[in-house]
Amino acid sequence: MSTSDQYIYQSGFGNHFSSEALPGALPVGQNTPQVCPYGLYAEQLSGTAFTVARSSNQRTWFYRIRPSAMHRPFEPYNKESHNMVGTFDTRTTEPTPTQIRWLPFDIPSTEHVDFIDGLHTIGGAGDAALKSGLAVHIYAATASMSKRAFSSSDGDLLIVPQQGRLDITTEFGPLLVAPNEIAVIQRGMRFSVALPDGPSRGYMLEVFESHFELPDLGPIGANGLANPRDFQTPTAKYEHTNDEWHIVNKYQGELFVAAQDHSPYDVVAWHGNYAPYKYDLANFAVINSVSFDHVDPSIFTVLTCKSAHPGTAVADFVIFPPRFEVQQHTFRPPYFHRNCMSEFMGLIRGEYEAKQGGFLPGGASLHSMMTPHGPDSQTVERATKRDLLPGRVADNTQSFMFES
């Protein structure tokens, strides 16, 4: 599988970006001139309320061939063909404190299943209608999306490919996302997924409130963990077609579809700080204990979605990357734990250090709040008898956690 990426990106996290596919397509000095260059339409996409503090305000201006309002009415999507949940209570889900582990999720073998129809909700908490909580989904697809676009009005989507690259077309431009990379496509952004490597599988975290941001570094200082310069945002690329498209919108946990007679990817230029992005997990600057004991796994946080309670996240995206381990007089595998947060884990490749052989790429596990969990007996046996020499852990492995 080639991971060659020919697309052009802009670097940075949360920057105010500008991009145009035709020279002079961006208006100069204002957002909504009486007549936009090339006869384009100005359209704002707001990711926060108008009155949010300026430091947190997120929005983008599109300059597009046709307004996205040019579509026929939304109608319910065929409920029999989608497996998504937006409200998590005893009527829609089965709560359980028992530790759960899934084998690798099946990829359809004969069906023509694209990214939308390959989405399945695994679990979650809260209610999309109240903009509170989160959902964990997986996707397992065999076909590229054709003349269809998807967006979620419910929340931001953090996509983690496990098998196969995703060639994602967005209103902002294209993203090529390979396993060991992630993509974040935020609330309301339309996108389509092609599968250049054939049948594909992965994980998706959806947060119903707030947006993902970089964690605060505190005494670590200015550098470390996921550095802002390593995030990549697409550049403008448009198409001008008059064929029929279907826009599938996730709204309050249900799917709706609207037809329109033009491509949704007709944005010729855009500027703003509300945009999709991707990140290569290999660029994460790992920080760990170099004396004794463990630093808590929060030290491996790539992105966080903050809640209204300081220091507590709606969800954290945490990885366990290849690194050195040098702690002395220490039980080095992850410790036994009961947590006030719930932990959903997935494995992109390799073997997870605490459950070697029992946790497979493409599978998952869930440890709900206050449910005891920890390494398996074989791992404990090895860890308590080994010589504590400096060494490597998790080489050729990438596991991750959605923690909430």
Side-chain angles (χ1 to χ4, degrees):
M1 182 183 73
S2 171
T3 58
S4 176
D5 188 345
Q6 303 300 317
Y7 296 140
I8 299 172
Y9 302 100
Q10 304 174 86
S11 295
F13 189 91
N15 298 13
H16 189 110
F17 297 103
S18 295
S19 183
E20 54 184 14
L22 293 177
L26 280 173
V28 177
Q30 64 179 118
N31 294 320
T32 55
Q34 185 176 17
V35 179
C36 292
Y38 298 99
L40 300 171
Y41 291 89
E43 178 179 291
Q44 184 173 203
L45 176 65
S46 294
T48 55
F50 293 139
T51 51
V52 166
R54 189 163 190 168
S55 60
S56 301
N57 210 297
Q58 298 187 41
R59 58 88 177 93
T60 282
W61 281 97
F62 291 133
Y63 300 93
R64 60 193 317 149
I65 296 171
R66 295 179 184 173
S68 60
M70 293 180 63
H71 64 80
R72 294 191 278 281
F74 280 99
E75 299 177 354
Y77 193 73
N78 184 355
K79 290 187 177 182
E80 294 181 357
S81 63
H82 89 81
N83 298 280
M84 306 194 77
V85 177
T87 301
F88 296 90
D89 57 29
T90 54
R91 295 170 298 172
T92 59
T93 56
E94 287 188 32
T96 176
T98 299
Q99 303 94 330
I100 300 174
R101 186 182 299 176
W102 290 269
L103 292 170
F105 296 101
D106 292 335
I107 297 176
S109 56
T110 57
E111 300 176 57
H112 184 279
V113 178
D114 68 10
F115 180 85
I116 298 173
D117 292 332
L119 287 169
H120 296 258
T121 302
I122 300 300
D127 191 332
L130 300 177
K131 294 185 178 181
S132 174
L134 77 161
V136 175
H137 317 284
I138 63 98
Y139 67 86
T142 61
S144 299
M145 293 169 60
S146 178
K147 306 300 180 185
R148 301 215 296 174
F150 181 71
S151 71
S152 175
S153 296
D154 291 339
D156 289 9
L157 306 175
L158 190 157
I159 302 172
V160 185
Q162 185 273 320
Q163 176 178 315
R165 293 171 299 165
L166 303 182
D167 192 345
I168 304 176
T169 301
T170 77
E171 295 170 277
F172 302 75
L175 292 162
L176 186 65
V177 188
N180 213 50
E181 295 181 322
I182 61 168
V184 173
I185 301 177
Q186 301 182 90
R187 186 193 306 268
M189 297 177 181
R190 295 176 174 180
F191 66 99
S192 300
V193 176
L195 308 179
D197 303 317
S200 300
R201 174 177 58 202
Y203 312 84
M204 188 166 75
L205 171 63
E206 182 176 22
V207 289
F208 301 148
E209 52 186 293
S210 190
H211 297 293
F212 289 106
E213 56 187 272
L214 295 174
D216 295 325
L217 295 182
I220 292 173
N223 304 289
L225 309 187
N227 289 309
R229 66 175 296 189
D230 294 323
F231 289 81
Q232 297 180 300
T233 292
T235 54
K237 183 178 181 180
Y238 73 96
E239 57 186 33
H240 186 189
T241 67
N242 295 315
D243 43 7
E244 182 163 293
W245 279 73
H246 291 90
I247 311 301
V248 180
N249 181 28
K250 180 176 179 289
Y251 178 74
Q252 295 189 15
E254 296 294 339
L255 298 187
F256 298 84
V257 60
Q260 62 183 50
D261 60 2
H262 62 280
S263 170
Y265 306 119
D266 62 354
V267 175
V268 181
W270 63 271
H271 75 86
N273 63 348
Y274 191 55
Y277 52 87
K278 75 168 193 169
Y279 175 74
D280 186 343
L281 301 180
N283 290 326
F284 188 81
V286 181
I287 293 174
N288 205 0
S289 172
V290 295
S291 54
F292 63 91
D293 282 351
H294 284 270
V295 181
D296 288 327
S298 52
I299 199 67
F300 301 126
T301 301
V302 179
L303 292 169
T304 185
C305 177
K306 293 180 179 178
S307 75
H309 304 284
T312 302
V314 175
D316 288 326
F317 174 62
V318 179
I319 63 173
F320 302 99
R323 59 198 183 275
F324 281 96
E325 56 175 7
V326 298
Q327 307 99 308
Q328 296 300 297
H329 317 296
T330 298
F331 180 79
R332 288 181 177 177
Y335 45 74
F336 290 97
H337 195 200
R338 286 185 293 165
N339 193 354
C340 64
M341 310 285 275
S342 294
E343 303 176 8
F344 176 92
M345 286 196 63
L347 184 60
I348 299 171
R349 64 188 184 194
E351 289 188 327
Y352 178 52
E353 60 201 271
K355 291 180 172 60
Q356 296 180 15
F359 186 44
L360 302 176
S365 69
L366 175 64
H367 301 136
S368 296
M369 68 176 79
M370 294 304 175
T371 293
H373 56 278
D376 59 29
S377 58
Q378 294 89 345
T379 301
V380 172
E381 181 75 11
R382 288 192 296 266
T384 53
K385 294 181 178 179
R386 62 176 290 190
D387 292 331
L388 294 179
L389 301 174
R392 297 282 299 170
V393 63
D395 281 335
N396 302 311
T397 292
Q398 186 66 75
S399 57
F400 70 88
M401 180 166 65
F402 300 151
E403 184 176 57
S404 175

